[in-house]
Amino acid sequence: MIDTQRAAIEFHFPFPRDLSPDIEQAQRHSIAWARQMGLATTDTALRYLEAWNWGRLTGHCLPTARGADLELATDWMTWGFLYDDQFAGPLGNQPARVARITENMIGVLYATSAAPKEDACARGITDILQRLSSKMSAAWMARFRDDLKWYFLGVLRMTTFRNRLSQIDTRTAFEIRRLDIGMGAVIDLIEVAEGFELPEALFGTTQIQTLRQCVIDIVIMQNDVFSLPKDRHQQEVNVVLAMERSENLTTAQALARTSALVDEKVQEVLAVKAGMPAFYETLGLGATDRARMDRYLHCLELMIHGCVYSHAECVRYSTRSEHTQPIAGRGFIQDLHLDAGLELAQALTRTAQM
């Protein structure tokens, strides 16, 4: 029996939903992988991972993923949450340190700097990239790395606003959250699950970019509604809280506006979907490309609807006090020492290689 968390508003979507049948194996694998990478090595950390059940969360978000593909996606989800949590405590209020951590992680991402053996986060993301590179093309990997880079930069951007939350308006909150939520990389994993890649010429079209942005914005609003009790206790950018503060709205008014914005995004998805046949004709797409584009759109719809259940069935979003308060006052389940050996005096800029 899965306990579910109730959000402050009801999310209703005219989209299908499903759940991968391989979630239990993916969950077992992710815990073993996190231990192997050094991301979770204490009994307390492993208990939290077991309770959070990233295998089920991922299986809702990417329900067409099976076997090793779902395991890989779950490992990425596990890694992403554990990396993000490192900045929920004191480190998240030190942008200068976070800037250097970010530069180091981008270096690992593009293999311009070695992954230190003692750095669990660098080791984990390097492992994920190596496994993906055996499945996906160089062009797809370049896009995925770029999405990860902007996720790292989004986390850094979040830390620069933590001490001035009262100054953030709704537009700025969305801009920050569109990066630090890391959904671009999650959407990329649809192609891993489906076993095909969108050609870059199609990926860059207005239609695909609009659909991806709608998914990201809808998931942001889902996440910030489910996280609302927790975020009130922590220094987090949250679009609902930004509405309350910057627009002088009550909580009920901010939630009503959020619900209306979700509905607007859903209508935008449906409008793009309705225009896809004409879009296919314009580009002269054949039957195979049309079928894959339709499948991709179907998976985006599954992700929108599934993410509601990812939040509702994860105790991380429970309103119980042990989940709304920062974990042990730090925000993370295990300190991964991202700033070990970091020197603030060290220059961020590098000499160009001529």
Side-chain angles (χ1 to χ4, degrees):
M1 182 70 177
I2 299 293
D3 290 333
T4 59
Q5 329 305 324
R6 286 187 61 83
I9 61 177
E10 295 289 335
F11 292 100
H12 300 289
F13 296 110
F15 304 134
R17 77 175 182 91
D18 203 352
L19 178 64
S20 174
D22 295 343
I23 56 174
E24 292 183 4
Q25 172 56 29
Q27 170 67 2
R28 289 191 295 269
H29 180 276
S30 72
I31 293 176
W33 178 82
R35 186 200 294 265
Q36 178 188 3
M37 293 296 112
L39 293 163
T41 58
T42 68
D43 289 342
T44 298
L46 292 168
R47 279 198 303 272
Y48 270 104
L49 287 189
E50 186 70 43
W52 286 340
N53 201 344
W54 299 138
R56 190 174 185 89
L57 181 152
T58 310
H60 278 302
C61 189
L62 293 161
T64 66
R66 300 288 187 273
D69 291 338
L70 183 64
E71 291 173 3
L72 179 50
T74 303
D75 292 348
W76 152 242
M77 291 285 201
T78 301
W79 183 92
F81 277 104
L82 294 181
Y83 178 80
D84 184 73
D85 282 353
Q86 295 299 300
F87 306 97
L91 182 60
N93 289 310
Q94 302 176 63
R97 302 189 79 83
V98 178
R100 285 153 178 80
I101 291 169
T102 301
E103 187 65 18
N104 287 341
M105 290 303 300
I106 292 173
V108 171
L109 183 61
Y110 291 102
T112 58
S113 60
K117 290 183 179 180
E118 68 277 8
D119 189 335
C121 277
R123 187 162 54 246
I125 197 60
T126 299
D127 179 77
I128 288 170
L129 291 169
Q130 288 173 345
R131 288 154 65 193
L132 281 170
S133 66
S134 69
K135 298 171 178 284
M136 310 303 286
S137 71
W140 188 94
M141 291 298 300
R143 188 212 310 161
F144 186 74
R145 281 188 168 93
D146 195 53
D147 283 335
L148 285 183
K149 178 191 74 174
W150 284 108
Y151 164 64
F152 291 146
L153 293 171
V155 172
L156 169 60
R157 187 179 295 183
M158 169 76 86
T159 67
T160 67
F161 280 93
R162 276 218 167 92
N163 291 320
R164 47 195 178 108
L165 293 177
S166 61
Q167 302 173 25
I168 298 175
D169 60 17
T170 305
R171 180 185 60 81
T172 304
F174 267 111
E175 290 175 353
I176 296 168
R177 296 288 285 128
R178 282 170 181 150
L179 294 182
D180 92 305
I181 198 169
M183 278 301 296
V186 177
I187 296 173
D188 290 338
L189 295 177
I190 288 175
E191 293 158 90
V192 178
E194 289 298 303
F196 66 78
E197 299 180 17
L198 289 183
E200 292 302 303
L202 295 181
F203 180 82
T205 60
T206 298
Q207 287 81 353
I208 294 301
Q209 291 303 306
T210 298
L211 289 169
R212 285 172 63 98
Q213 192 61 67
C214 285
V215 173
I216 291 169
D217 285 353
I218 291 170
V219 175
I220 286 170
M221 288 183 277
Q222 290 178 20
N223 184 267
D224 286 7
V225 168
F226 274 98
S227 297
L228 195 56
K230 176 171 64 72
D231 288 351
R232 288 192 187 279
H233 292 278
Q234 300 180 193
Q235 290 177 293
E236 297 289 349
V237 176
N238 179 301
V239 295
V240 182
L241 293 177
M243 288 178 194
E244 291 182 11
R245 293 169 180 147
S246 67
E247 301 176 37
N248 197 27
L249 300 179
T250 65
T251 299
Q253 289 170 330
L255 289 170
R257 180 163 179 226
T258 302
S259 181
L261 288 174
V262 170
D263 290 343
E264 288 178 15
K265 290 296 178 180
V266 168
Q267 292 305 310
E268 193 171 354
V269 170
L270 293 174
V272 173
K273 182 179 180 180
M276 291 305 272
F279 172 64
Y280 298 161
E281 287 292 331
T282 299
L283 293 184
L285 299 189
T288 298
D289 286 333
R290 291 178 185 228
R292 287 179 172 176
M293 291 288 282
D294 286 343
R295 184 69 181 173
Y296 185 78
L297 178 53
H298 174 69
C299 289
L300 291 175
E301 292 178 336
L302 288 170
M303 184 172 286
I304 290 171
H305 203 163
C307 280
V308 174
Y309 293 87
S310 294
H311 289 95
E313 294 181 1
C314 182
V315 296
R316 182 183 174 91
Y317 302 102
S318 169
T319 57
R320 295 198 300 271
S321 61
E322 62 266 33
H323 297 291
T324 57
Q325 299 291 342
I327 301 167
R330 300 168 303 181
F332 48 75
I333 59 175
Q334 182 171 324
D335 190 349
L336 299 179
H337 303 291
L338 290 175
D339 59 347
L342 186 143
E343 295 291 339
L344 287 180
Q346 180 180 347
L348 279 171
T349 57
R350 299 175 182 172
T351 302
Q353 310 244 337
M354 306 298 290

